[in-house]
Amino acid sequence: MSDDGLVELVLRSTRVITPEGMRAASVAVSGGKITAVLAHDAEVPAGARLEDFGDDVLLPGLVDTHVHVNDPGRTEWEGFWTATRAAAAGGITTLVDMPLNSLPPTTTVDHLRTKKDVARSKAHIDVGFWGGALPDNVKDLRPLHDAGVFGFKAFLSPSGVDEFPELDQDQLAQSLAEIAGFGGLLIVHAEDPHHLAAAPQKSGRKYADFLASRPRDAENTAIGNLIAQAARLDARVHVLHLSSSDALPLIAAAKREGVRVTAETCPHYLTLTAEEVPDGASEFKCCPPIREAANQDLLWQALADGTIDCVVTDHSPSTADLKTDDFATAWGGISGLQLSLSAVWTEARRRGHGLEDVVRWMSSSTAELVGLDDRKGAIAAGRDADFAVLAPDETFTVDPAALQHRNRVTAYAGRTLYGVVRSTWLRGERVLSEGEFTDPAGQLLSRRR
Ligand SMILES: [Zn+2]
């Protein structure tokens, strides 16, 4: 590290993704930060090291704001060591950990401290934390906010784990009023429990039965209610893992009217379809569910027109034994951390989008969502020197054995994807190159004050 501002490292490529678009450039790095984006043929300062990536693309490290690390407590599902390695292998340099599925859940300042103690020595990339909003922890929300969580997650229907109960409409109003009071952000798993309860519940191996049990109306209604509450309280809310395209007009209208709502979707909704899920293949199960191809087309349109702001993994693994062939009882969650960039890029490319779009959805917008856009999400002077180097035209076939996830269960097995991550850099240091990791150097991040 240099404290005197001398350039230590220059990263060069004919294709650097900057906020102004893709161009040939040389990126100067000092003290872990980007100091300048220079001409491609800029002279390398004396004493600086040059890394020339040729035509491979240099892009800002991805910021994945929706990851279930499950550590401590369900570390056999995933842990900070394995999750951050998988993330780095996929070009992700920052993740924000969800408050549930670990034990304890991140619902008090004490629990946050426990999480941080566990994560500190294992993080290969930077890690931040969401807090949780439960029916009985309204008093804990402000202290958690002051302790640096990036916002609060709530469920409106059962979460899948007993220790993280959902909020009813009154409890949602109460938590949201409290969070709005200190200018915080509420992020919501939006499926309405009454619509879920009214849907046909059939167990078994057929994906169509599972899909029918999680109807679009459940999402649409919950999102409508959430927007109404946000408008009433002038609160900031974020719709997690949007799957139902029927809810897009609601979100678009709310944005036009100035309601402070943003939305995300996930690689699996954008690249996999209900029509292709084999019987009993619960590696494709998540909630809300992967829907039909026509639904997917509308999600892509909404990304293009800005109704959906960002793409995050919702990486939510379990041990393989919980992924039974009965869709009703199998664990609901898809592992996507290591493959998200390649999966999204493969489909984006086919649909005529550029890598600049993918970077906007998976790095700039997510950094902005959590207020890290002064440090992350762009190749620009002053930001952390976090990068992925991608060979976008090269393909690979997904082999579960090559995944760094603790449990190598994947819905993408056997697929051929575009985009090979050659190396990943955190604050100017290689995290991963050609399958080799350096010692964990990730920092624990807090919300900017
Ligand atoms: Zn999730």
Side-chain angles (χ1 to χ4, degrees), residues 235-259:
R236 193 171 155 232
V237 298
H238 178 71
V239 177
L240 296 166
H241 47 49
L242 177 73
S243 171
S244 167
S245 62
D246 294 352
L248 292 168
L250 288 173
I251 296 168
K255 286 184 165 189
R256 275 197 304 275
E257 288 157 17
V259 180

Side-chain angles (χ1 to χ4, degrees), residues 66 68 98 153 241 314:
H66 193 152
H68 297 266
M98 279 291 166
K153 178 173 196 182
H241 47 49
D314 191 10

Side-chain angles (χ1 to χ4, degrees), residues 92-443:
I92 298 164
T93 50
T94 302
L95 69 78
V96 186
D97 174 53
M98 279 291 166
L100 74 156
N101 301 350
S102 58
L103 294 167
T106 319
T107 49
T108 69
V109 170
D110 243 23
H111 294 177
L112 174 65
R113 204 170 295 130
T114 303
K115 274 260 192 186
K116 286 184 163 177
D117 286 345
V118 168
R120 197 164 281 122
S121 60
K122 300 180 187 167
H124 288 79
I125 62 168
D126 286 358
V127 173
F129 301 90
W130 295 107
L134 301 185
D136 64 356
N137 82 332
V138 176
K139 65 177 188 328
D140 294 299
L141 300 179
R142 188 184 284 263
L144 275 165
H145 177 76
D146 292 341
V149 298
F150 287 94
F152 299 91
K153 178 173 196 182
F155 278 76
L156 304 179
S157 54
S159 72
V161 291
D162 293 338
E163 68 277 5
F164 205 96
E166 73 273 24
L167 306 183
D168 65 26
Q169 287 297 314
D170 287 344
Q171 290 159 342
L172 172 67
Q174 204 190 353
S175 295
L176 193 52
E178 172 73 8
I179 291 165
F182 53 73
L185 169 65
L186 183 72
I187 63 173
V188 179
H189 180 121
E191 284 184 292
D192 179 75
H194 309 293
H195 282 76
L196 294 180
Q201 301 297 326
K202 216 165 144 191
S203 61
R205 290 166 45 86
K206 286 229 169 323
Y207 187 75
D209 290 336
F210 170 64
L211 186 57
S213 76
R214 314 289 302 203
R216 295 176 187 221
D217 269 354
E219 276 192 75
N220 308 337
T221 300
I223 290 168
N225 289 338
L226 178 66
I227 287 171
Q229 298 247 33
R232 189 172 59 78
L233 294 163
D234 191 24
R236 193 171 155 232
V237 298
H238 178 71
V239 177
L240 296 166
H241 47 49
L242 177 73
S243 171
S244 167
S245 62
D246 294 352
L248 292 168
L250 288 173
I251 296 168
K255 286 184 165 189
R256 275 197 304 275
E257 288 157 17
V259 180
R260 295 196 288 157
V261 59
T262 49
E264 67 183 32
T265 190
C266 307
H268 37 277
Y269 304 127
L270 295 169
T271 65
L272 308 171
T273 61
E275 290 89 336
E276 67 190 331
V277 179
D279 283 354
S282 72
E283 62 270 29
F284 290 81
K285 177 183 173 179
C286 58
C287 299
I290 294 165
R291 302 190 190 278
E292 304 81 354
N295 183 81
Q296 182 178 94
D297 290 342
L298 294 172
L299 295 179
W300 277 100
Q301 245 176 56
L303 273 171
D305 70 24
T307 304
I308 299 176
D309 301 87
C310 41
V311 179
V312 296
T313 60
D314 191 10
H315 179 73
S316 185
S318 70
T319 46
D321 60 304
L322 299 182
K323 286 297 214 180
T324 63
D325 66 355
D326 182 339
F327 279 106
T329 52
W331 172 253
I334 289 187
S335 295
L337 213 39
Q338 190 170 332
L339 300 170
S340 59
L341 171 58
S342 304
V344 172
W345 166 233
T346 300
E347 187 64 16
R349 182 181 181 280
R350 193 179 75 76
R351 290 174 182 265
H353 296 287
L355 260 176
E356 300 93 322
D357 297 320
V358 173
V359 164
R360 190 173 74 250
W361 301 325
M362 302 184 80
S363 184
S364 321
S365 295
T366 45
E368 199 178 320
L369 174 71
V370 292
L372 281 173
D373 45 322
D374 58 336
R375 288 184 60 180
K376 309 287 188 186
I379 296 180
R383 311 279 181 121
D384 288 355
D386 298 349
F387 309 99
V389 178
L390 185 77
D393 305 314
E394 221 166 273
T395 60
F396 67 102
T397 301
V398 176
D399 172 8
L403 296 177
Q404 302 287 339
H405 308 158
R406 172 148 298 165
N407 293 283
R408 291 164 178 178
V409 175
T410 174
Y412 298 95
R415 276 171 195 266
T416 297
L417 301 180
Y418 278 90
V420 172
V421 177
R422 299 253 199 245
S423 62
T424 302
W425 299 69
L426 185 69
R427 280 184 293 280
E429 302 287 342
R430 259 182 222 272
V431 183
L432 169 99
S433 176
E434 315 282 338
E436 295 296 322
F437 291 88
T438 46
D439 290 340
Q443 293 181 357

